[in-house]
């Protein structure tokens, strides 16, 4: 599957510090320790609708991870999937009288446009579930042959993973059984399904149903893959076991990330699936989480169509910490538009306040669990000082040079903001 074009990244002098992130599994901020190439898997969209601001906030958070790692001197192998075969896609296609394949292709193309407009660095591997089905089938067969999976006896052909054989099940989310049962029921699971060995056993393969697409499956059982094994298979086949960061929204902590780990660890016989599980918080509107069921989605493409600068959208979402649930409001967008205009005025000056402290400070803030509000505040301070000095007619104070940069050139800050925050000034 095609990704989207990459924006050019300015080269900054020196290297940033090691990135520290909050690991959901350990419930603490930990230092990431990538090899020369950092490896990250972020769960992608189910393309039944356009990119809303909750999606955008999640992908912006992991775009910062990508940028901070690169600034610290790492290459980054970033993988993202597209769940282009799933119930929500079929339901929307049936509702609108449309082919599910056409719907998925159209919304995936729109997602690429939105990511391009928001200047999100693209994944090196962008993999659809449909194209991965042959590999997923092989992985399900491996689990079945190892006695870790079983088929229901009700004639459906459905295959489940036996989590009673998964050492440490629940360690990624840290949830108790009652919480897992509740969230499973709310988020696409079937804990009350008759015939399962355990209520929490996840679906690996869904046998063919009337009116649904199907593919040749494990042991000749036609059907389609379960959601969680899709991501386990794609991650294993692209970046391998023990990669640095598994990312997604906080609603993926359970069941999706828990079960993806169970599948991968069952396939390989090793732990952990990921070194750190990192989750972005929710974006709300009018006091509620944005969701399809509530009908309160704000779409990136709609904002762009209304003439809103995508850099203002990016700034507005980065103005809150990625782990903090926050609301989208007209005031938030207006403040971001004003901030963007101020920054652009400041970088257009012939000379500005010293840039060295901005580089050091922004690097430190982002390396500390992606403190984007703190990084933005530093640029605000620089812009205010530069504009005030320009208005007074005084020159900026002397500063030490940053490598071969002119330390008082506003273009230096423009490059910092571009490379680290992804904002094109």
């Amino acid at each position: 599957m095609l990704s989207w074009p990459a924006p050019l990244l300015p080269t900054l002098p020196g290297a940033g510090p090691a990135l520290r992130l909050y690991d959901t599994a350990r419930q603490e901020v930990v230092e990431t320790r990538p090899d020369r190439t950092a490896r990250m898997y972020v769960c992608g969209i189910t393309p039944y609708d356009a990119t809303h601001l909750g999606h955008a906030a999640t992908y912006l958070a992991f775009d910062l991870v990508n940028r901070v790692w690169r600034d610290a001197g790492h290459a980054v192998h970033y993988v993202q999937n597209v769940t282009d075969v799933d119930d929500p896609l079929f339901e929307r296609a049936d509702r609108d009288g449309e082919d599910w394949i056409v719907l998925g292709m159209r919304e995936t193309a729109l997602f690429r446009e939105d990511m391009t407009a928001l200047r999100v660095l693209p994944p090196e591997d962008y993999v659809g579930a449909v194209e991965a089905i042959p590999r997923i089938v092989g992985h399900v067969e491996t689990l079945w042959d190892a006695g870790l999976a079983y088929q229901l006896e009700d004639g459906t052909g459905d295959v489940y993973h036996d989590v009673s054989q998964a050492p440490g099940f629940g360690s990624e989310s840290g949830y108790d059984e009652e919480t897992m049962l509740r969230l499973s029921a709310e988020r696409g699971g079937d804990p009350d399904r008759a015939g399962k060995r355990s209520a929490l056993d996840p679906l690996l393969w869904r046998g063919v149903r009337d009116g649904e697409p199907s593919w040749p499956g494990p042991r000749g059982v036609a059907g389609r893959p379960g959601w969680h094994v899709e991501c386990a298979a794609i991650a294993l086949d692209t970046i391998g076991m023990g990669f640095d960061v598994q990312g997604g929204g906080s609603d993926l902590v359970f069941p999706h990330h828990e079960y993806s780990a169970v599948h991968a660890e069952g396939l390989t016989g090793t732990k952990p699936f990921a070194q750190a599980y990192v989750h972005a918080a929710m974006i709300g509107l009018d006091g509620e989480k944005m969701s399809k069921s509530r009908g309160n989605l704000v779409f990136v493409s709609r904002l762009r169509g209304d003439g809103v600068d995508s850099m203002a959208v990016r700034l507005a979402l980065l103005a809150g910490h990625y782990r903090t649930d926050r609301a989208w409001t007209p005031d938030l967008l207006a403040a971001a538009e004003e901030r963007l205009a101020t920054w652009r005025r400041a970088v257009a000056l012939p000379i500005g306040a010293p840039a060295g402290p901005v580089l050091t400070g922004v690097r430190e803030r982002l390396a500390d669990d992606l403190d984007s509000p703190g990084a933005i505040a530093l640029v605000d301070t620089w812009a205010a000082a530069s504009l005030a000095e320009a208005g007074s007619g005084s020159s900026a104070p002397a500063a030490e040079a940053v490598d071969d940069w002119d330390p008082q050139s506003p273009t230096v800050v423009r490059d910092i903001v571009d490379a680290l925050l992804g904002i094109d000034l």
Side-chain angles (χ1 to χ4, degrees), residues 1-5 82 108-109 111-112 122-128 131:
M1 182 173 285
L2 293 174
S3 190
W4 55 91
V82 180
T108 302
F111 175 76
R112 292 190 192 98
E124 279 63 42
D125 290 289
Y126 192 49
V127 185
E131 67 184 286

Side-chain angles (χ1 to χ4, degrees), residues 258-274:
E258 189 76 58
Y259 285 140
S260 296
V262 164
H263 297 328
E265 290 164 4
L267 284 163
T268 63
T270 61
K271 292 174 71 75
F273 181 43

Side-chain angles (χ1 to χ4, degrees), residues 124-279:
E124 279 63 42
D125 290 289
Y126 192 49
V127 185
V130 170
E131 67 184 286
I133 284 176
R135 290 175 289 171
I136 295 170
V137 169
H139 288 309
V140 174
E141 287 180 333
T142 297
L143 290 169
W144 205 344
D145 292 344
L148 300 177
Y150 62 95
Q151 187 176 39
L152 294 192
E153 298 178 356
D154 58 4
T156 61
D158 294 354
V159 180
Y160 284 83
H161 192 135
D162 184 355
V163 297
S164 70
Q165 301 186 63
F169 172 63
S171 60
E172 279 75 24
S173 65
Y175 295 151
D176 59 25
E177 183 176 3
E178 180 181 356
T179 301
M180 288 192 285
L181 287 168
R182 174 177 59 81
L183 292 176
S184 177
E186 292 174 0
R187 297 174 178 175
D190 54 2
D192 297 328
R193 174 96 184 257
K196 293 170 61 175
R197 295 177 184 174
S198 166
L200 287 170
D201 287 350
L203 181 70
L204 281 165
W205 186 260
R206 177 178 167 87
V208 64
R209 305 290 202 276
D210 290 341
E212 292 186 3
S214 63
W215 292 263
R219 299 188 182 180
V221 179
R224 58 185 173 90
W227 176 28
H228 317 301
V229 73
E230 165 200 344
C231 284
I234 292 172
L236 288 177
D237 293 342
T238 53
I239 53 176
M241 198 69 178
F243 55 92
D244 297 290
V245 166
Q246 162 77 83
S250 59
D251 55 343
L252 299 185
V253 174
F254 190 91
H256 187 52
H257 286 170
E258 189 76 58
Y259 285 140
S260 296
V262 164
H263 297 328
E265 290 164 4
L267 284 163
T268 63
T270 61
K271 292 174 71 75
F273 181 43
Q275 300 296 328
Y277 293 85
V278 181
H279 297 98

